[in-house]
Amino acid sequence: MPQNSGATGVTAEEIRTRVRELAAAHDPATTDHVEFLGHRFDAGLAWVHFPVGCGGLGAPRALQQVAEQELAAAGAKPANVYRNPIGLGMGAPTVAVHGTEEQRSRLLRPLWTGEEVWCQLFSEPGAGSDLAGLATRAVRDGDDWIVNGQKVWTSFAHKARWAMLLARTDPDLPKHQGLTYFFLDMSLPGVEVRPLRQATGQAEFNEVFLTDVRIPDSMRADEVGKGWTVSNTTLMNERVAIGGGASPREGGVISPVAALWRSRPEVRTPALHDQVMKAWVEAEVARLANARIGQQLAAGKPGPEGSAAKISFARINQETTRLWLELSGEDGLTYDDWTMRRVDLGGSDGGRSAGYYYLRAKGNSIEGGTTEILRGVIADRVLELPREPRTDTKLPWKEIPR
Amino acid sequence: MPQNSGATGVTAEEIRTRVRELAAAHDPATTDHVEFLGHRFDAGLAWVHFPVGCGGLGAPRALQQVAEQELAAAGAKPANVYRNPIGLGMGAPTVAVHGTEEQRSRLLRPLWTGEEVWCQLFSEPGAGSDLAGLATRAVRDGDDWIVNGQKVWTSFAHKARWAMLLARTDPDLPKHQGLTYFFLDMSLPGVEVRPLRQATGQAEFNEVFLTDVRIPDSMRADEVGKGWTVSNTTLMNERVAIGGGASPREGGVISPVAALWRSRPEVRTPALHDQVMKAWVEAEVARLANARIGQQLAAGKPGPEGSAAKISFARINQETTRLWLELSGEDGLTYDDWTMRRVDLGGSDGGRSAGYYYLRAKGNSIEGGTTEILRGVIADRVLELPREPRTDTKLPWKEIPR
Amino acid sequence: MTDIPSLLYTDVEDDLRATLRGLLADRCPWSDVLARVDTDEPYDESLWKSVAEDLGLAGLLIPESLGGAGATAREAAVTLEELARAVAPIPYYPSAILATTALTASPASEARDNALPALAAGTAIATLTIPATTAPGAEFPASITGSLDANGQLHLTGAATTVLAADRADLLVVPVLIDGEPHLALVDATAPGLTRTRATTLDATRPVGTITLDGVPATAIADPTQAPAALAHALVTGAALLASEQLGVAERSLEETVTYLKTRHQFGRPIGSYQALRHRAADLWADIAAARATARYAAAALAEGSDDAPIAASLAQAYCSDVAVHAAEECVQMHGGIGFTWEHPAHLYLKRAMSLSLLQGTPTHHRAALGGLVNLPSA
Amino acid sequence: MTDIPSLLYTDVEDDLRATLRGLLADRCPWSDVLARVDTDEPYDESLWKSVAEDLGLAGLLIPESLGGAGATAREAAVTLEELARAVAPIPYYPSAILATTALTASPASEARDNALPALAAGTAIATLTIPATTAPGAEFPASITGSLDANGQLHLTGAATTVLAADRADLLVVPVLIDGEPHLALVDATAPGLTRTRATTLDATRPVGTITLDGVPATAIADPTQAPAALAHALVTGAALLASEQLGVAERSLEETVTYLKTRHQFGRPIGSYQALRHRAADLWADIAAARATARYAAAALAEGSDDAPIAASLAQAYCSDVAVHAAEECVQMHGGIGFTWEHPAHLYLKRAMSLSLLQGTPTHHRAALGGLVNLPSA
């Protein structure tokens, strides 16, 4: 966002003043939360580094922290991330950077207040790790685009009003060049959302079928053929800050395992002790590694360790939940419930049986970038190893074997 | 060997008769071993499936077993495999299949008797896994070939009179097509053998430097440009029959570890017990897997499990010797001797310190086909997975990046 | 130890496999297995009828004189391989392996000799009322006790948890303490005083449940001189043969994976052409080849009545358990997203493999037990 | 536990590293280290002089008042990282870490306060006479006993095996039992009655040997109220800081590997373009990043005098040991044949890493010890 360089000279004191004025005009204690968030947006205090009129003040990004603290001190609840995580985390920055004036003013405010939930329509059954190979077609028809295709691994699609859609507009170009990015109104005819049931029995994600959906060209983000660039803005904001802060010792999945070990001496055997200690060591090492990543970020030296952290997060969850099952003895044979139900990503899933966590952990090395892809990222970007030979980047997309 | 199809109708009884005649003419108890082996060769009892005149009778291969048993019963010692393993294992079949009449009569008899030891000059510093990429050049000059290059990982080179040499005769052809195979007299001028010291401190192998070595064309095996085909005959015979027979339980490197555990209770800890048992399980499983391979071979159904057996052999040796070091406590810090000395492959290396075996085991996953190459063999030949894209098979050799 | 029995499959075993595989391909596609998870009918009764009655496989381990096939653990092992490959939802293992071997190891008696022909015919299904996690070498269970009433009729009281096929069995083989002494008793599951529950299980194709006995009439079939050995034999047999189930699950997982690796394209080429995946698939194949030898050895040792059977059983469990879980885990991972969905069979293999690793002793347990069997004492 | 100290390197530490790395690149190439193995002079005395005297690094952990730098374990850790990267053949760890911390944890005394300035200046080299495999928490050694003669002079008798730098040390810090009570004593290695031998070691750059004492005169420097704690402090410090050596070896192994992967071609392309090797290298990098955080935490916990230091030390050993060995093993394997030759440095890293994993407690030992420290009791 070139316009947010902080050159406008907004100071922390001005932020504090604006918060005080906002709180004086709309008492956080008595104002409806959504309504208050709207006022906060209008005051430029949603994302202070966004441009004026887009919920921001064109202030330096670091001042967001000042706004949050001051608002919390004034008794204001923050935006509800659990209600609209994809919109807040990825939709907003994409709209702010690549959206037109009209798109920004239509989309950002209800996104911020949570009145309009967002989802992301990127992955397809045939395009997982190879996102740029996607097949959903958008064909120009007058002032509209007619879209057909199938998207998958879409969380929040059943609640979303808007989607970030990546579609192919020119199959004759090489794969990365023929893509265009749209903001899709999920209430349009031809959009069908079906829950996608997982190995755990429940559905955190959806499949989305797009059949002759007409998107007005006014809802295209950036230029035709620039979809890959726009999607990179979205994905750069996807990385959850795994290493954001210092979690407590025994804070993760080691916690129930350690608790079980301490509370049920009858399950203890010498060999299992070593396995529990291995899991404990892995968990504590990962905690320290994440803390170090957080310290690097805080010192303004972000490192590439995030990919490593995600790899180890998945591995530790998988190994430790398996150990949990073994320690569970007879209980390990049972499961709480296979009934299909929708569960929101990020929603609470506490209190389930060990088997649930074992199965769910299998997704950790697939979702949000497979472990294999992340290893490739480290090999490419950190170790700068030679790339594998590629045959798919220069061919017209339609000629790539699939 | 098309000529050994057994069509000559030699029977087991004839073999037995010939053995009796041989033993009657040359009493094994009193005849010098080398001399006896020479008579055995002349009687066609060296390799009964080889052609007549080449130490064989053109008999079915299965009758070799009859000859060996009958000779042993007559008190004759078998050929000394330890003295000339490469000659007996790989050289002889290569000469028999690809050699000229002249080469067979010159080479096979002293190879068999052990009077002339053989080695193999294939691998090069720049061509290990990628043998067909080798760079040693042979240039035609009248009736000779002038050879220049460097070979490596050559066991027995310092004792060998003959070598199987693979060299590049046409760098303008694709890599597999420009190779020619020679029988090299190691006593020729320009052949220099240097010991190759290993991580263990000792040298089981050699480097061989070839500088303007003149090989007469009469010592070329098969046609010019057919070297890759000939080398495959050699390599097919390289596979040591790991699964040849049933080794006893605790027969491998688990043996000293189990002995240490049994004899020194003070080293035992609960966690180490699980590690020892893991090693024991791996060893016993490998023993059974090898026995099954042997049973398949005996049933005439050779499977592709040999590659898997070699992978697990290396892994087990490596993991178990590491455990041995850990169990050794203070002794694990020490080493018996770093002094450089030559050791023959296959020679005894018993009674060394645990550290020696730990280091030596590191070679097991490299020598005779790396674990990585063997995994590729399984992926290609057993699982029939798609090959990796290759760029080196059709280019002229000289244009391949290296 | 140098004389290793044949670890190959005989022609008879190959034929058995082909017949059963054909039946299962036809009658037990994974989609049917999956659909059943959302129903209240965990067992495929019709498939049971075909396997047990039509093919006669329920009686493999029962002597011909009692209506069985008089076959050996080798054939039973092949049967379990195939059933596991198909994740078949039938109670073959608890009935035709566990309960049957407990019965055949008990002395002849009217009760036993009436039960076994029914089991052989598949018209009755039995189970052994012990927790499914019980390992060979476990102490004789003490959770059920028996006493004689005035008429000399034995009555059992107590409970057993996580009993395989608890909800389905017609006959129960019950380890029971009578006056503190170990016995086996046979119970008709419809007898008064018997209640049973079905738990929801990680492997929905293999339910367990609790059997509660409140003065249930029973017939003693093995006395203190016989019962511990009969139970031990059943547990060793069970553990040894589960390795063949593990082998079957592992094989099927790898096959599905390899098929997918050949067809799925990303970045313009089949993902099976990527070296990291090729190497992982090759390692799995190598592990499975070793697991096959080990599972075969366990079956052969049982078939021969070898003294080495307890070692072979623990060895097989110590090795094959992990191979099966690893193969199923890799099957999920190498399929990527689709492998994590309900509508793909990978999770069925994963749940079967993980559940198998907990049955009749975990690998960790069996390694520790092996230490005692091969004179490598614990610390 | 939520307050984690900085795990980053300070500017001072970065400067220290740069200086030392420059010196080692210049003065301690691996080819020199290797050549020394075939000689009878295991230590590079000239390098010691530069590191200890010129750079003043031998006194990092010694207070300024006693001639040292008054630095912390953080700087010592960076020093060890760099020395291990170079497989430097100098007795820094036994002298500047083990013996030094045993002395600084002992009360002020004439003997101690004469020794420490010499150690700080690098003019004397010391060691702690315990087996190099001794882990934190070990019982106080009983292999050496002391008694007073008629003049009140202490004399020591006994022996200690696999003592680091036994053949080189000028001063010995000796755990000794006097009348059955634990003490530390200081011994001049040239004193009468002292003999020492040097063993041939797996890591030829780090000799160990046996020290035999036969009535050797000594000076007590810590009494029973002080000696066990001083020894324990030295052992915790040693274990914690060895993790930084392990980190250094692992980093160097990976760097050598990555360089080779970029240049070595087989089948027409650099082997670093093969996915299986790329993934393995990436995993190593991830493991090393985690090891760095763990080693840094151990050093920081020592520097802060945190109660968590024993946990941090065992954690670091439990993790970093295996990372170092694995990285060195992969360095050999990914180099193929050349990595198994004497004329390539991979074996130097492998021997250092393997030897390090045995020093001051193996990973298996430290995991067991951690159980006691974090209330996860053994079975």
Side-chain angles (χ1 to χ4, degrees):
Chain A
M1 257 172 284
Q3 63 270 59
N4 318 329
S5 61
T8 56
V10 177
T11 65
E13 196 39 50
E14 283 170 48
I15 301 279
R16 289 194 193 94
T17 304
R18 279 177 171 269
V19 170
R20 279 193 297 270
E21 289 169 2
L22 172 66
H26 310 281
D27 182 357
T30 58
T31 310
D32 170 76
H33 188 217
V34 168
E35 191 189 325
F36 181 84
L37 287 172
H39 294 304
R40 178 174 164 184
F41 181 93
D42 298 337
L45 293 168
W47 306 279
V48 299
H49 53 294
F50 276 25
V52 175
C54 293
L57 298 166
R61 191 179 199 121
L63 293 183
Q64 182 70 22
Q65 195 62 15
V66 174
E68 299 292 348
Q69 286 164 352
E70 200 70 19
L71 279 156
K77 282 193 296 184
N80 188 345
V81 173
Y82 291 114
R83 178 165 166 73
N84 189 17
I86 294 167
L88 290 166
M90 303 155 73
T94 306
V95 174
V97 175
H98 296 284
T100 60
E101 279 300 317
E102 181 194 345
Q103 288 164 352
R104 291 173 174 188
S105 55
R106 166 64 188 86
L107 298 171
L108 285 172
R109 195 177 191 277
L111 182 162
W112 165 257
T113 60
E115 288 162 287
E116 290 181 351
V117 170
W118 282 60
C119 69
Q120 176 195 335
L121 297 178
F122 281 14
S123 293
E124 299 182 4
S129 294
D130 181 14
L131 178 61
L134 60 83
T136 291
R137 281 284 275 127
V139 178
R140 186 74 185 241
D141 183 49
D143 282 346
D144 293 339
W145 294 83
I146 302 178
V147 182
N148 282 281
Q150 183 188 350
K151 296 290 182 176
V152 76
W153 300 114
T154 315
S155 43
F156 289 92
H158 56 297
K159 296 184 171 177
R161 171 63 192 274
W162 291 96
M164 294 165 271
L165 170 69
L166 194 59
R168 185 160 308 279
T169 44
D170 191 345
D172 295 322
L173 289 175
K175 61 200 291 188
H176 295 90
Q177 295 167 35
L179 300 171
T180 301
Y181 194 113
F182 300 92
F183 301 119
L184 166 67
D185 182 344
M186 294 285 284
S187 66
L188 285 174
V191 177
E192 188 197 351
V193 177
R194 295 186 204 156
L196 179 63
R197 197 176 182 185
Q198 299 153 211
T200 55
Q202 65 187 26
E204 290 168 72
F205 302 97
N206 300 279
E207 294 179 291
V208 177
F209 296 84
L210 304 170
T211 310
D212 293 333
V213 179
R214 281 195 167 265
I215 305 182
D217 188 54
S218 61
M219 278 300 160
R220 169 170 49 77
D222 218 318
E223 293 170 33
V224 173
K226 288 274 190 273
W228 186 248
T229 309
V230 183
S231 71
N232 278 331
T233 299
T234 309
L235 292 172
M236 271 197 326
N237 285 282
E238 187 176 22
R239 174 80 38 83
V240 179
I242 291 177
S247 59
R249 185 170 277 173
E250 292 186 16
V253 71
I254 189 66
S255 169
V257 171
L260 194 158
W261 186 265
R262 291 188 181 114
S263 64
R264 294 183 49 194
E266 75 277 11
V267 307
R268 299 176 194 163
T269 75
L272 286 173
H273 186 245
D274 196 44
Q275 292 180 36
V276 168
M277 293 316 302
K278 274 185 182 154
W280 195 92
V281 165
E282 288 276 354
E284 180 65 5
V285 165
R287 184 178 81 94
L288 294 170
N290 287 340
R292 192 166 192 272
I293 293 172
Q295 293 174 354
Q296 282 179 306
L297 284 175
K301 290 179 282 189
E305 283 89 350
S307 295
K310 182 170 178 308
I311 292 173
S312 71
F313 173 78
R315 179 172 45 76
I316 290 170
N317 280 0
Q318 291 169 359
E319 292 174 355
T320 306
T321 52
R322 183 175 168 187
L323 176 59
W324 187 2
L325 271 179
E326 177 160 2
L327 287 171
S328 300
E330 289 183 67
D331 293 344
L333 292 172
T334 63
Y335 197 77
D336 43 15
D337 191 2
W338 290 119
T339 311
M340 156 69 191
R341 55 170 65 99
R342 281 187 191 269
V343 182
D344 284 341
L345 202 67
S348 165
D349 61 2
R352 306 272 322 244
S353 58
Y356 168 80
Y357 297 102
Y358 171 74
L359 294 173
R360 184 61 188 84
K362 291 286 168 276
N364 295 156
S365 50
I366 298 171
E367 59 201 331
T370 66
T371 290
E372 289 77 12
I373 288 292
L374 295 173
R375 287 186 181 125
V377 167
I378 294 172
D380 287 343
R381 300 194 198 160
V382 185
L383 302 176
E384 297 180 331
L385 286 170
R387 308 274 171 135
E388 287 193 274
R390 280 189 70 167
T391 55
D392 64 323
T393 48
K394 292 182 181 149
L395 280 181
W397 173 81
K398 65 182 181 186
E399 291 173 19
I400 299 172
R402 63 178 63 86
Chain B
M1 257 174 285
Q3 64 270 58
N4 317 328
S5 60
T8 57
V10 177
T11 66
E13 195 40 48
E14 283 170 49
I15 301 278
R16 290 194 193 94
T17 305
R18 281 180 169 267
V19 169
R20 279 192 296 272
E21 288 169 1
L22 172 67
H26 310 280
D27 182 358
T30 58
T31 311
D32 169 75
H33 187 217
V34 168
E35 193 188 324
F36 181 83
L37 287 173
H39 294 303
R40 177 174 163 184
F41 181 94
D42 298 337
L45 294 167
W47 306 279
V48 299
H49 53 293
F50 277 25
V52 175
C54 294
L57 299 167
R61 190 180 199 121
L63 292 185
Q64 182 69 22
Q65 195 61 16
V66 175
E68 298 292 348
Q69 285 164 352
E70 200 71 17
L71 279 156
K77 282 193 295 183
N80 188 344
V81 173
Y82 290 114
R83 178 165 164 75
N84 189 18
I86 295 168
L88 290 166
M90 304 154 73
T94 306
V95 173
V97 175
H98 297 282
T100 61
E101 280 300 318
E102 181 194 346
Q103 288 164 354
R104 290 173 174 187
S105 55
R106 166 63 188 89
L107 297 171
L108 285 171
R109 196 177 191 276
L111 182 160
W112 165 257
T113 62
E115 288 163 286
E116 291 181 350
V117 170
W118 282 59
C119 68
Q120 175 195 338
L121 296 178
F122 281 13
S123 294
E124 299 183 2
S129 295
D130 181 14
L131 177 60
L134 60 82
T136 291
R137 283 283 275 126
V139 178
R140 186 72 185 243
D141 182 49
D143 282 346
D144 292 340
W145 295 83
I146 302 178
V147 182
N148 282 281
Q150 182 188 350
K151 296 289 183 176
V152 77
W153 301 114
T154 317
S155 43
F156 288 92
H158 57 296
K159 296 184 171 176
R161 170 65 190 273
W162 291 97
M164 294 165 270
L165 171 69
L166 193 58
R168 185 160 307 280
T169 44
D170 191 343
D172 294 321
L173 289 175
K175 60 199 292 187
H176 296 90
Q177 295 167 35
L179 299 171
T180 302
Y181 194 113
F182 300 92
F183 302 120
L184 166 67
D185 183 343
M186 293 286 284
S187 67
L188 285 174
V191 177
E192 187 196 351
V193 177
R194 295 185 203 156
L196 180 64
R197 196 176 184 185
Q198 300 154 210
T200 56
Q202 65 186 25
E204 290 168 72
F205 303 97
N206 299 279
E207 294 178 292
V208 177
F209 296 83
L210 305 170
T211 310
D212 292 334
V213 179
R214 280 195 168 264
I215 305 182
D217 187 55
S218 61
M219 279 299 161
R220 170 170 48 77
D222 219 314
E223 294 171 33
V224 173
K226 288 274 189 271
W228 186 248
T229 308
V230 182
S231 70
N232 278 331
T233 299
T234 310
L235 293 172
M236 269 195 329
N237 285 283
E238 185 176 23
R239 173 81 38 86
V240 179
I242 291 177
S247 59
R249 187 170 277 175
E250 293 186 16
V253 71
I254 190 65
S255 169
V257 171
L260 194 158
W261 186 266
R262 292 187 181 114
S263 65
R264 293 182 50 193
E266 73 278 10
V267 307
R268 300 176 194 162
T269 75
L272 286 173
H273 185 245
D274 195 46
Q275 292 179 37
V276 168
M277 293 317 302
K278 273 185 182 155
W280 194 92
V281 165
E282 288 276 352
E284 180 66 5
V285 166
R287 184 178 82 94
L288 294 170
N290 287 340
R292 190 165 195 273
I293 293 172
Q295 292 175 354
Q296 282 179 307
L297 284 174
K301 291 179 282 189
E305 283 89 350
S307 295
K310 182 170 178 309
I311 292 174
S312 72
F313 173 78
R315 179 172 45 77
I316 289 170
N317 280 0
Q318 291 170 358
E319 292 174 355
T320 307
T321 53
R322 183 174 169 187
L323 176 60
W324 187 3
L325 272 179
E326 177 160 1
L327 287 170
S328 300
E330 289 182 68
D331 292 345
L333 291 172
T334 64
Y335 198 78
D336 43 13
D337 190 3
W338 291 118
T339 311
M340 156 71 192
R341 55 171 63 99
R342 282 187 192 269
V343 183
D344 284 342
L345 203 67
S348 166
D349 60 2
R352 305 269 327 242
S353 57
Y356 167 80
Y357 298 102
Y358 171 74
L359 294 173
R360 183 62 188 84
K362 293 286 167 277
N364 295 155
S365 50
I366 297 171
E367 60 200 332
T370 65
T371 290
E372 289 77 12
I373 289 292
L374 295 173
R375 287 186 180 125
V377 167
I378 294 171
D380 287 343
R381 301 193 198 159
V382 185
L383 302 177
E384 297 180 331
L385 286 170
R387 308 272 170 136
E388 286 193 274
R390 280 189 70 167
T391 56
D392 64 323
T393 49
K394 292 182 182 150
L395 280 181
W397 173 80
K398 65 182 181 187
E399 291 174 19
I400 298 171
R402 62 178 64 85
Chain C
M1 276 316 90
T2 51
D3 238 33
I4 295 177
S6 173
L7 308 178
L8 306 179
Y9 296 103
T10 64
D11 291 344
V12 170
E13 288 159 15
D14 283 339
D15 290 346
L16 167 60
R17 179 197 304 287
T19 304
L20 182 53
R21 190 177 291 191
L23 174 78
L24 292 166
D26 190 36
R27 300 276 304 285
C28 188
W30 66 262
S31 49
D32 285 8
V33 175
L34 181 62
R36 192 174 291 280
V37 176
D38 286 323
T39 71
D40 207 32
E41 293 173 5
Y43 305 106
D44 185 337
E45 298 288 347
S46 150
L47 181 65
W48 171 260
K49 203 164 142 49
S50 296
V51 169
E53 296 185 30
D54 303 348
L55 298 187
L57 299 180
L60 282 179
L61 298 181
I62 296 173
E64 290 178 78
S65 60
L66 290 164
T72 73
R74 296 179 61 102
E75 292 81 13
V78 172
T79 304
L80 288 167
E81 273 183 46
E82 292 302 314
L83 292 175
R85 283 176 61 91
V87 218
I90 57 173
Y92 186 87
Y93 174 75
S95 186
I97 308 294
L98 277 186
T100 292
T101 50
L103 286 171
T104 58
S106 297
S109 67
E110 189 185 333
R112 188 199 85 144
D113 296 352
N114 284 335
L116 281 170
L119 296 187
T123 51
I125 287 171
T127 192
L128 185 62
T129 57
I130 52 166
T133 53
T134 310
E139 278 185 41
F140 200 88
S143 69
I144 299 173
T145 55
S147 58
L148 301 182
D149 67 14
N151 302 321
Q153 169 66 47
L154 176 62
H155 295 267
L156 308 188
T157 296
T161 50
T162 65
V163 175
L164 289 164
D167 54 328
R168 177 58 186 82
D170 305 301
L171 286 172
L172 311 178
V173 180
V174 186
V176 54
L177 295 184
I178 304 176
D179 293 336
E181 294 291 324
H183 292 70
L184 294 185
L186 199 59
V187 168
D188 178 338
T190 61
L194 187 149
T195 53
R196 42 193 181 175
T197 60
R198 179 166 80 228
T200 302
T201 42
L202 180 64
D203 178 2
T205 67
R206 173 165 271 167
V208 296
T210 298
I211 304 250
T212 308
L213 304 162
D214 184 10
V216 175
T219 309
I221 57 167
D223 69 21
T225 68
Q226 304 149 338
L231 179 62
H233 175 67
L235 289 171
V236 167
T237 303
L241 291 181
L242 279 181
S244 289
E245 278 212 31
Q246 288 157 341
L247 173 61
V249 176
E251 284 176 345
R252 180 68 179 267
S253 297
L254 179 59
E255 283 173 24
E256 293 285 336
T257 303
V258 167
T259 300
Y260 190 72
L261 291 177
K262 289 177 182 175
T263 51
R264 170 77 169 178
H265 282 63
Q266 292 281 272
F267 306 105
R269 54 178 170 119
I271 62 174
S273 70
Y274 289 95
Q275 198 194 36
L277 301 187
R278 286 164 55 84
H279 281 192
R280 281 157 59 182
D283 280 346
L284 283 175
W285 183 83
D287 291 348
I288 290 170
R292 188 175 301 113
T294 309
R296 285 270 85 190
Y297 180 64
L302 287 176
E304 291 193 334
S306 161
D307 289 347
D308 211 37
I311 291 175
S314 279
L315 180 79
Q317 278 302 296
Y319 190 76
C320 301
S321 273
D322 286 339
V323 170
V325 172
H326 183 54
E329 289 180 338
E330 284 285 69
C331 182
V332 172
Q333 181 67 23
M334 292 206 236
H335 276 80
I338 189 77
F340 189 58
T341 63
W342 188 261
E343 300 304 331
H344 188 278
H347 68 94
L348 294 174
Y349 311 134
L350 179 65
K351 292 162 185 174
R352 172 64 66 107
M354 189 65 225
S355 167
L356 278 169
S357 79
L358 302 175
L359 294 189
Q360 261 68 79
T362 66
T364 313
H365 174 90
H366 282 285
R367 282 195 299 273
L370 265 180
L373 297 171
V374 301
N375 185 28
L376 287 167
S378 59
Chain D
M1 275 317 89
T2 51
D3 237 32
I4 295 176
S6 173
L7 307 178
L8 307 179
Y9 297 103
T10 64
D11 291 344
V12 171
E13 288 160 14
D14 283 339
D15 290 347
L16 167 60
R17 177 197 307 286
T19 304
L20 183 52
R21 188 175 293 191
L23 174 77
L24 291 165
D26 190 36
R27 301 276 304 285
C28 187
W30 66 263
S31 49
D32 285 9
V33 175
L34 181 62
R36 191 173 291 279
V37 176
D38 285 324
T39 72
D40 206 32
E41 293 171 6
Y43 305 106
D44 186 336
E45 298 288 347
S46 150
L47 181 64
W48 171 260
K49 203 164 140 50
S50 297
V51 169
E53 297 185 29
D54 303 349
L55 298 186
L57 298 180
L60 282 178
L61 296 182
I62 296 172
E64 290 179 80
S65 59
L66 289 166
T72 73
R74 296 178 61 102
E75 292 80 14
V78 171
T79 303
L80 288 167
E81 274 183 46
E82 293 302 313
L83 291 175
R85 282 177 61 92
V87 218
I90 57 173
Y92 186 88
Y93 174 76
S95 186
I97 308 293
L98 277 187
T100 292
T101 50
L103 285 171
T104 58
S106 297
S109 68
E110 191 185 333
R112 187 198 87 144
D113 297 351
N114 285 335
L116 281 170
L119 297 187
T123 52
I125 288 171
T127 193
L128 184 63
T129 57
I130 51 166
T133 53
T134 310
E139 277 185 43
F140 201 87
S143 70
I144 300 173
T145 55
S147 59
L148 300 183
D149 68 12
N151 302 320
Q153 171 65 46
L154 176 62
H155 295 268
L156 309 188
T157 296
T161 50
T162 64
V163 175
L164 290 164
D167 56 328
R168 176 58 186 85
D170 306 301
L171 287 171
L172 311 177
V173 180
V174 186
V176 54
L177 294 184
I178 304 176
D179 293 336
E181 294 291 325
H183 293 70
L184 294 185
L186 199 59
V187 169
D188 179 339
T190 62
L194 188 148
T195 54
R196 43 192 181 176
T197 61
R198 178 166 80 228
T200 303
T201 41
L202 181 64
D203 178 2
T205 67
R206 173 165 273 166
V208 297
T210 298
I211 304 250
T212 309
L213 304 163
D214 183 10
V216 176
T219 309
I221 57 167
D223 68 21
T225 67
Q226 303 149 341
L231 179 62
H233 175 68
L235 288 171
V236 167
T237 304
L241 292 181
L242 279 180
S244 289
E245 278 212 33
Q246 289 158 339
L247 173 62
V249 177
E251 284 177 346
R252 180 67 178 268
S253 297
L254 179 59
E255 282 173 23
E256 293 285 334
T257 303
V258 167
T259 300
Y260 190 72
L261 291 176
K262 289 178 183 175
T263 51
R264 169 77 170 179
H265 282 63
Q266 291 282 273
F267 307 104
R269 54 178 170 118
I271 61 173
S273 70
Y274 289 96
Q275 198 193 36
L277 301 187
R278 287 163 54 84
H279 281 193
R280 280 157 59 181
D283 279 346
L284 284 175
W285 183 84
D287 291 348
I288 290 170
R292 187 176 300 114
T294 309
R296 286 269 84 191
Y297 179 65
L302 288 176
E304 290 193 336
S306 160
D307 288 348
D308 211 39
I311 290 174
S314 279
L315 180 79
Q317 278 303 295
Y319 190 77
C320 301
S321 273
D322 286 338
V323 170
V325 172
H326 183 55
E329 289 180 339
E330 283 285 69
C331 183
V332 172
Q333 181 67 23
M334 291 205 235
H335 276 80
I338 188 75
F340 189 58
T341 64
W342 188 263
E343 300 303 331
H344 188 278
H347 68 94
L348 295 174
Y349 311 135
L350 179 64
K351 292 162 185 174
R352 172 64 66 104
M354 189 64 224
S355 167
L356 277 169
S357 80
L358 302 175
L359 293 189
Q360 261 70 79
T362 66
T364 313
H365 173 90
H366 281 285
R367 281 194 300 273
L370 265 180
L373 296 172
V374 302
N375 185 29
L376 287 167
S378 58

